[in-house]
């Protein structure tokens, strides 16, 4: 009888710990995705070096292995780049939706002048522009291949 209570208690503690973990911010998620891109860029570089080291004494098996490693590294790079792009586009979409909501609120007041509306919306546009710039930004990897 004591064992089921211990298991139940352990499960409850694990559930409570999982609930307490905070969700990563969009910036943290993007940094993690950028790090993955950088690591995968480094892996492609290493795979290319291995292909370049093949010589007259290398076997067909060595060449096939080098080719397979390069193909896997490129596939991982493509996957990580797609994940990063998706994160960046999601953030842009979120900011555009917030701007559209603000624009609807401003335009709902029919007595608002265009100048007043523009002044109200100017500050709401900055996050959209920043998200757009981030969406098209290059990945910044340090010399070691990580971020």
């Amino acid at each position: 009888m004591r064992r089921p209570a211990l298991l139940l208690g352990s499960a409850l503690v694990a559930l409570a710990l999982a609930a307490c973990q905070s969700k990563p911010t969009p910036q943290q998620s993007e940094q993690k995705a950028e790090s993955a891109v950088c690591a995968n860029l480094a892996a492609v570089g290493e795979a290319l070096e291995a292909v370049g080291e093949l010589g007259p004494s290398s076997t067909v098996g060595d060449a096939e292995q080098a080719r397979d490693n390069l193909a896997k590294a490129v596939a991982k790079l493509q996957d990580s780049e797609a994940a990063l792009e998706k994160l960046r586009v999601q953030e842009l979409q979120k900011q555009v939706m917030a701007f559209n909501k603000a624009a609807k609120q401003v335009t709902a007041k029919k007595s608002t002048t265009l100048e007043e509306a523009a002044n109200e919306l100017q500050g709401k546009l900055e996050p959209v522009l920043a998200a757009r710039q981030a969406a098209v930004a290059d990945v910044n990897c340090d010399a070691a291949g990580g971020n």
Side-chain angles (χ1 to χ4, degrees):
M1 189 64 157
R2 189 162 163 79
R3 187 174 200 136
L6 183 61
L7 289 174
L8 179 61
S10 297
L12 289 174
V13 168
L15 184 60
L17 287 174
C20 291
Q21 292 179 349
S22 63
K23 185 178 175 183
T25 66
Q27 292 81 12
Q28 290 170 328
S29 296
E30 186 173 328
Q31 286 175 344
K32 184 177 179 183
E34 267 197 28
S35 292
V37 169
C38 292
N40 289 327
L41 277 169
V44 167
E46 291 170 9
L48 284 170
E49 286 177 14
V51 169
E53 292 172 358
L54 292 172
S57 61
S58 299
T59 65
V60 171
D62 293 337
E64 286 178 342
Q65 184 65 47
R67 181 199 65 209
D68 290 345
N69 289 343
L70 178 59
K72 288 176 187 175
V74 169
K76 284 184 178 182
L77 175 61
Q78 289 171 332
D79 289 346
S80 62
E81 287 176 333
L84 176 60
E85 182 177 342
K86 181 179 177 181
L87 280 172
R88 288 177 171 180
V89 169
Q90 284 175 340
E91 182 60 23
L92 177 58
Q93 290 171 335
K94 177 181 160 188
Q95 294 302 331
V96 167
M97 287 173 49
F99 179 79
N100 286 341
K101 183 178 177 182
K104 283 181 183 180
Q105 290 173 344
V106 169
T107 58
K109 302 175 216 159
K110 299 301 179 194
S111 62
T112 303
T113 67
L114 292 178
E115 183 179 11
E116 290 169 336
N119 288 337
E120 279 190 57
L121 291 176
Q122 185 61 40
K124 308 288 186 190
L125 187 59
E126 295 303 319
V128 177
L129 296 174
R132 182 195 171 279
Q133 188 172 7
V136 297
D138 291 333
V139 175
N140 296 314
C141 299
D142 64 15
N147 203 7

